[in-house]
Amino acid sequence: MEFGSVKHFLRGKTILVTGATGFLGKIFVEKILRVQPDVKKLYLLLRASNSCSATERMRNEIIGKDLFKVLRDKLGDDFDSFISEKVMAVAGDVSSENLGIRDVYLRKAMLEEIDIVLHSAASTKFDESLRVWGG
Ligand SMILES: NC(=O)c1ccc[n+]([C@@H]2O[C@H](COP(=O)([O-])OP(=O)(O)OC[C@H]3O[C@@H](n4cnc5c(N)ncnc54)[C@H](OP(=O)(O)O)[C@@H]3O)[C@@H](O)[C@H]2O)c1
């Protein structure tokens, strides 16, 4: 598939991204926002105790990174409002029921809105305990 058609496909779509603080997830988020700014919305599921700390993680560990410099320079003063409009951090955990999203109304809205799931959350530790793997 040519990238042009992927870009076209992503236009107006709402995407749930897990693992967005990770190596691959972060690159995906930046690339989508840079090449297809007409994406509707990105929900980033991040491990955090509540939505405020999820937003803080998003700001510190994703959007605030040098990786976003090209987009930040391109958008200038509009960068923050663009991010606020397009990206929402959600506190959760993929190993928990309902992805650990406690807010029922948010869960319902996400179920209705999300078109695509980019699941990049994983334990990448080679010495992870078997209990974490469910063994
Ligand atoms: N990197 C590569 O070159 C490469 C190549 C081929 C395939 N892959 C695969 O791609 C996937 C991602 O790799 P990566 O290199 O981006 O890994 P990574 O840098 O270790 O990132 C893992 C991500 O998963 C999140 N995560 C882990 N457990 C979670 C949970 N229970 N709930 C929610 N989020 C959770 C982490 O969040 P926290 O910040 O909260 O820890 C982090 O954002 C893995 O499956 C890996 O095997 C990677």
Side-chain angles (χ1 to χ4, degrees), residues 25-45:
K26 209 179 289 172
I27 292 171
F28 177 80
V29 170
E30 190 274 342
K31 176 112 187 181
I32 295 295
L33 293 172
R34 182 164 46 80
V35 303
Q36 185 42 286
D38 290 331
V39 67
K40 189 167 181 194
K41 192 195 259 186
L42 301 184
Y43 283 109
L44 310 185
L45 187 92

PDB file of all heavy atoms in Angstrom, residues 25-45:
ATOM      1  N   GLY A  25       5.590   3.636  19.945  1.00  0.00           N
ATOM      2  CA  GLY A  25       4.341   4.387  20.078  1.00  0.00           C
ATOM      3  C   GLY A  25       4.541   5.887  19.904  1.00  0.00           C
ATOM      4  O   GLY A  25       3.758   6.572  19.236  1.00  0.00           O
ATOM      5  N   LYS A  26       5.613   6.364  20.506  1.00  0.00           N
ATOM      6  CA  LYS A  26       5.918   7.799  20.432  1.00  0.00           C
ATOM      7  C   LYS A  26       6.168   8.239  18.984  1.00  0.00           C
ATOM      8  O   LYS A  26       5.680   9.267  18.534  1.00  0.00           O
ATOM      9  CB  LYS A  26       7.203   8.008  21.243  1.00  0.00           C
ATOM     10  CG  LYS A  26       7.361   9.345  21.880  1.00  0.00           C
ATOM     11  CD  LYS A  26       8.647   9.372  22.661  1.00  0.00           C
ATOM     12  CE  LYS A  26       8.555   8.517  23.905  1.00  0.00           C
ATOM     13  NZ  LYS A  26       9.809   8.352  24.616  1.00  0.00           N
ATOM     14  N   ILE A  27       6.902   7.411  18.263  1.00  0.00           N
ATOM     15  CA  ILE A  27       7.206   7.722  16.856  1.00  0.00           C
ATOM     16  C   ILE A  27       5.917   7.719  16.033  1.00  0.00           C
ATOM     17  O   ILE A  27       5.694   8.591  15.190  1.00  0.00           O
ATOM     18  CB  ILE A  27       8.232   6.704  16.294  1.00  0.00           C
ATOM     19  CG1 ILE A  27       9.589   6.906  16.982  1.00  0.00           C
ATOM     20  CG2 ILE A  27       8.366   6.818  14.782  1.00  0.00           C
ATOM     21  CD1 ILE A  27      10.609   5.837  16.685  1.00  0.00           C
ATOM     22  N   PHE A  28       5.046   6.778  16.325  1.00  0.00           N
ATOM     23  CA  PHE A  28       3.773   6.686  15.602  1.00  0.00           C
ATOM     24  C   PHE A  28       2.950   7.959  15.825  1.00  0.00           C
ATOM     25  O   PHE A  28       2.431   8.556  14.876  1.00  0.00           O
ATOM     26  CB  PHE A  28       2.996   5.451  16.070  1.00  0.00           C
ATOM     27  CG  PHE A  28       1.647   5.306  15.440  1.00  0.00           C
ATOM     28  CD1 PHE A  28       1.504   4.779  14.170  1.00  0.00           C
ATOM     29  CD2 PHE A  28       0.504   5.717  16.116  1.00  0.00           C
ATOM     30  CE1 PHE A  28       0.255   4.658  13.575  1.00  0.00           C
ATOM     31  CE2 PHE A  28      -0.748   5.608  15.534  1.00  0.00           C
ATOM     32  CZ  PHE A  28      -0.873   5.070  14.257  1.00  0.00           C
ATOM     33  N   VAL A  29       2.843   8.378  17.088  1.00  0.00           N
ATOM     34  CA  VAL A  29       2.024   9.555  17.416  1.00  0.00           C
ATOM     35  C   VAL A  29       2.556  10.792  16.681  1.00  0.00           C
ATOM     36  O   VAL A  29       1.796  11.536  16.045  1.00  0.00           O
ATOM     37  CB  VAL A  29       2.012   9.805  18.951  1.00  0.00           C
ATOM     38  CG1 VAL A  29       1.375  11.146  19.293  1.00  0.00           C
ATOM     39  CG2 VAL A  29       1.272   8.669  19.657  1.00  0.00           C
ATOM     40  N   GLU A  30       3.870  10.980  16.733  1.00  0.00           N
ATOM     41  CA  GLU A  30       4.458  12.155  16.059  1.00  0.00           C
ATOM     42  C   GLU A  30       4.206  12.108  14.564  1.00  0.00           C
ATOM     43  O   GLU A  30       3.840  13.090  13.938  1.00  0.00           O
ATOM     44  CB  GLU A  30       5.970  12.202  16.365  1.00  0.00           C
ATOM     45  CG  GLU A  30       6.643  13.503  15.928  1.00  0.00           C
ATOM     46  CD  GLU A  30       7.100  13.523  14.486  1.00  0.00           C
ATOM     47  OE1 GLU A  30       7.227  12.448  13.858  1.00  0.00           O
ATOM     48  OE2 GLU A  30       7.323  14.618  13.944  1.00  0.00           O
ATOM     49  N   LYS A  31       4.424  10.923  13.979  1.00  0.00           N
ATOM     50  CA  LYS A  31       4.297  10.797  12.515  1.00  0.00           C
ATOM     51  C   LYS A  31       2.866  11.070  12.053  1.00  0.00           C
ATOM     52  O   LYS A  31       2.641  11.789  11.081  1.00  0.00           O
ATOM     53  CB  LYS A  31       4.734   9.390  12.080  1.00  0.00           C
ATOM     54  CG  LYS A  31       4.562   9.129  10.610  1.00  0.00           C
ATOM     55  CD  LYS A  31       5.850   8.991   9.892  1.00  0.00           C
ATOM     56  CE  LYS A  31       5.631   8.905   8.391  1.00  0.00           C
ATOM     57  NZ  LYS A  31       6.843   8.737   7.644  1.00  0.00           N
ATOM     58  N   ILE A  32       1.903  10.524  12.770  1.00  0.00           N
ATOM     59  CA  ILE A  32       0.502  10.746  12.387  1.00  0.00           C
ATOM     60  C   ILE A  32       0.171  12.237  12.437  1.00  0.00           C
ATOM     61  O   ILE A  32      -0.398  12.792  11.500  1.00  0.00           O
ATOM     62  CB  ILE A  32      -0.466   9.999  13.344  1.00  0.00           C
ATOM     63  CG1 ILE A  32      -0.301   8.493  13.225  1.00  0.00           C
ATOM     64  CG2 ILE A  32      -1.929  10.397  13.070  1.00  0.00           C
ATOM     65  CD1 ILE A  32      -0.677   7.925  11.893  1.00  0.00           C
ATOM     66  N   LEU A  33       0.543  12.879  13.548  1.00  0.00           N
ATOM     67  CA  LEU A  33       0.180  14.292  13.711  1.00  0.00           C
ATOM     68  C   LEU A  33       0.885  15.163  12.667  1.00  0.00           C
ATOM     69  O   LEU A  33       0.351  16.183  12.220  1.00  0.00           O
ATOM     70  CB  LEU A  33       0.533  14.780  15.121  1.00  0.00           C
ATOM     71  CG  LEU A  33      -0.305  14.147  16.249  1.00  0.00           C
ATOM     72  CD1 LEU A  33       0.256  14.552  17.606  1.00  0.00           C
ATOM     73  CD2 LEU A  33      -1.775  14.551  16.140  1.00  0.00           C
ATOM     74  N   ARG A  34       2.080  14.746  12.252  1.00  0.00           N
ATOM     75  CA  ARG A  34       2.851  15.555  11.285  1.00  0.00           C
ATOM     76  C   ARG A  34       2.362  15.333   9.860  1.00  0.00           C
ATOM     77  O   ARG A  34       2.177  16.295   9.119  1.00  0.00           O
ATOM     78  CB  ARG A  34       4.339  15.205  11.419  1.00  0.00           C
ATOM     79  CG  ARG A  34       5.263  15.986  10.514  1.00  0.00           C
ATOM     80  CD  ARG A  34       6.724  15.882  10.959  1.00  0.00           C
ATOM     81  NE  ARG A  34       7.119  14.527  11.264  1.00  0.00           N
ATOM     82  CZ  ARG A  34       7.453  13.590  10.352  1.00  0.00           C
ATOM     83  NH1 ARG A  34       7.454  13.892   9.086  1.00  0.00           N
ATOM     84  NH2 ARG A  34       7.789  12.362  10.731  1.00  0.00           N
ATOM     85  N   VAL A  35       2.117  14.075   9.491  1.00  0.00           N
ATOM     86  CA  VAL A  35       1.772  13.832   8.082  1.00  0.00           C
ATOM     87  C   VAL A  35       0.262  13.843   7.813  1.00  0.00           C
ATOM     88  O   VAL A  35      -0.147  14.042   6.684  1.00  0.00           O
ATOM     89  CB  VAL A  35       2.392  12.520   7.523  1.00  0.00           C
ATOM     90  CG1 VAL A  35       3.890  12.516   7.679  1.00  0.00           C
ATOM     91  CG2 VAL A  35       1.772  11.300   8.138  1.00  0.00           C
ATOM     92  N   GLN A  36      -0.526  13.614   8.863  1.00  0.00           N
ATOM     93  CA  GLN A  36      -1.977  13.665   8.664  1.00  0.00           C
ATOM     94  C   GLN A  36      -2.626  14.485   9.785  1.00  0.00           C
ATOM     95  O   GLN A  36      -3.314  13.949  10.662  1.00  0.00           O
ATOM     96  CB  GLN A  36      -2.574  12.259   8.590  1.00  0.00           C
ATOM     97  CG  GLN A  36      -4.065  12.215   8.254  1.00  0.00           C
ATOM     98  CD  GLN A  36      -4.492  13.197   7.159  1.00  0.00           C
ATOM     99  OE1 GLN A  36      -4.575  14.412   7.381  1.00  0.00           O
ATOM    100  NE2 GLN A  36      -4.758  12.680   5.972  1.00  0.00           N
ATOM    101  N   PRO A  37      -2.406  15.798   9.757  1.00  0.00           N
ATOM    102  CA  PRO A  37      -2.974  16.655  10.806  1.00  0.00           C
ATOM    103  C   PRO A  37      -4.501  16.660  10.804  1.00  0.00           C
ATOM    104  O   PRO A  37      -5.112  17.122  11.766  1.00  0.00           O
ATOM    105  CB  PRO A  37      -2.403  18.044  10.491  1.00  0.00           C
ATOM    106  CG  PRO A  37      -1.953  17.979   9.081  1.00  0.00           C
ATOM    107  CD  PRO A  37      -1.601  16.566   8.782  1.00  0.00           C
ATOM    108  N   ASP A  38      -5.092  16.110   9.737  1.00  0.00           N
ATOM    109  CA  ASP A  38      -6.552  16.043   9.700  1.00  0.00           C
ATOM    110  C   ASP A  38      -7.089  14.761  10.321  1.00  0.00           C
ATOM    111  O   ASP A  38      -8.270  14.439  10.162  1.00  0.00           O
ATOM    112  CB  ASP A  38      -7.057  16.172   8.261  1.00  0.00           C
ATOM    113  CG  ASP A  38      -6.849  17.573   7.734  1.00  0.00           C
ATOM    114  OD1 ASP A  38      -6.866  18.518   8.549  1.00  0.00           O
ATOM    115  OD2 ASP A  38      -6.640  17.721   6.513  1.00  0.00           O
ATOM    116  N   VAL A  39      -6.225  14.024  11.038  1.00  0.00           N
ATOM    117  CA  VAL A  39      -6.728  12.926  11.853  1.00  0.00           C
ATOM    118  C   VAL A  39      -7.712  13.542  12.851  1.00  0.00           C
ATOM    119  O   VAL A  39      -7.545  14.710  13.249  1.00  0.00           O
ATOM    120  CB  VAL A  39      -5.536  12.224  12.570  1.00  0.00           C
ATOM    121  CG1 VAL A  39      -4.883  13.130  13.593  1.00  0.00           C
ATOM    122  CG2 VAL A  39      -5.942  10.918  13.196  1.00  0.00           C
ATOM    123  N   LYS A  40      -8.763  12.805  13.207  1.00  0.00           N
ATOM    124  CA  LYS A  40      -9.754  13.440  14.086  1.00  0.00           C
ATOM    125  C   LYS A  40      -9.230  13.553  15.514  1.00  0.00           C
ATOM    126  O   LYS A  40      -9.199  14.631  16.106  1.00  0.00           O
ATOM    127  CB  LYS A  40     -11.065  12.657  14.061  1.00  0.00           C
ATOM    128  CG  LYS A  40     -12.186  13.386  14.767  1.00  0.00           C
ATOM    129  CD  LYS A  40     -13.517  12.763  14.450  1.00  0.00           C
ATOM    130  CE  LYS A  40     -14.639  13.497  15.134  1.00  0.00           C
ATOM    131  NZ  LYS A  40     -15.873  12.717  15.112  1.00  0.00           N
ATOM    132  N   LYS A  41      -8.832  12.416  16.061  1.00  0.00           N
ATOM    133  CA  LYS A  41      -8.378  12.445  17.460  1.00  0.00           C
ATOM    134  C   LYS A  41      -7.508  11.240  17.780  1.00  0.00           C
ATOM    135  O   LYS A  41      -7.717  10.156  17.217  1.00  0.00           O
ATOM    136  CB  LYS A  41      -9.607  12.423  18.377  1.00  0.00           C
ATOM    137  CG  LYS A  41      -9.288  12.749  19.840  1.00  0.00           C
ATOM    138  CD  LYS A  41     -10.430  12.368  20.730  1.00  0.00           C
ATOM    139  CE  LYS A  41     -11.292  13.498  21.142  1.00  0.00           C
ATOM    140  NZ  LYS A  41     -12.310  13.146  22.110  1.00  0.00           N
ATOM    141  N   LEU A  42      -6.530  11.444  18.660  1.00  0.00           N
ATOM    142  CA  LEU A  42      -5.744  10.328  19.178  1.00  0.00           C
ATOM    143  C   LEU A  42      -6.021  10.216  20.676  1.00  0.00           C
ATOM    144  O   LEU A  42      -5.836  11.177  21.409  1.00  0.00           O
ATOM    145  CB  LEU A  42      -4.241  10.555  18.991  1.00  0.00           C
ATOM    146  CG  LEU A  42      -3.675  10.770  17.585  1.00  0.00           C
ATOM    147  CD1 LEU A  42      -2.155  10.882  17.642  1.00  0.00           C
ATOM    148  CD2 LEU A  42      -4.055   9.639  16.657  1.00  0.00           C
ATOM    149  N   TYR A  43      -6.483   9.044  21.106  1.00  0.00           N
ATOM    150  CA  TYR A  43      -6.551   8.752  22.533  1.00  0.00           C
ATOM    151  C   TYR A  43      -5.264   8.007  22.885  1.00  0.00           C
ATOM    152  O   TYR A  43      -4.956   6.982  22.249  1.00  0.00           O
ATOM    153  CB  TYR A  43      -7.730   7.821  22.846  1.00  0.00           C
ATOM    154  CG  TYR A  43      -9.090   8.457  22.857  1.00  0.00           C
ATOM    155  CD1 TYR A  43     -10.011   8.191  21.847  1.00  0.00           C
ATOM    156  CD2 TYR A  43      -9.481   9.298  23.900  1.00  0.00           C
ATOM    157  CE1 TYR A  43     -11.280   8.754  21.870  1.00  0.00           C
ATOM    158  CE2 TYR A  43     -10.749   9.855  23.926  1.00  0.00           C
ATOM    159  CZ  TYR A  43     -11.637   9.584  22.913  1.00  0.00           C
ATOM    160  OH  TYR A  43     -12.906  10.133  22.944  1.00  0.00           O
ATOM    161  N   LEU A  44      -4.533   8.490  23.871  1.00  0.00           N
ATOM    162  CA  LEU A  44      -3.317   7.808  24.306  1.00  0.00           C
ATOM    163  C   LEU A  44      -3.584   7.168  25.665  1.00  0.00           C
ATOM    164  O   LEU A  44      -3.815   7.877  26.651  1.00  0.00           O
ATOM    165  CB  LEU A  44      -2.140   8.787  24.422  1.00  0.00           C
ATOM    166  CG  LEU A  44      -1.868   9.703  23.221  1.00  0.00           C
ATOM    167  CD1 LEU A  44      -0.603  10.524  23.463  1.00  0.00           C
ATOM    168  CD2 LEU A  44      -1.767   8.913  21.923  1.00  0.00           C
ATOM    169  N   LEU A  45      -3.586   5.842  25.708  1.00  0.00           N
ATOM    170  CA  LEU A  45      -3.823   5.135  26.969  1.00  0.00           C
ATOM    171  C   LEU A  45      -2.492   5.015  27.714  1.00  0.00           C
ATOM    172  O   LEU A  45      -1.579   4.333  27.235  1.00  0.00           O
ATOM    173  CB  LEU A  45      -4.402   3.744  26.707  1.00  0.00           C
ATOM    174  CG  LEU A  45      -4.828   3.034  27.981  1.00  0.00           C
ATOM    175  CD1 LEU A  45      -6.302   3.320  28.288  1.00  0.00           C
ATOM    176  CD2 LEU A  45      -4.605   1.531  27.880  1.00  0.00           C
TER     177      LEU A  45
END
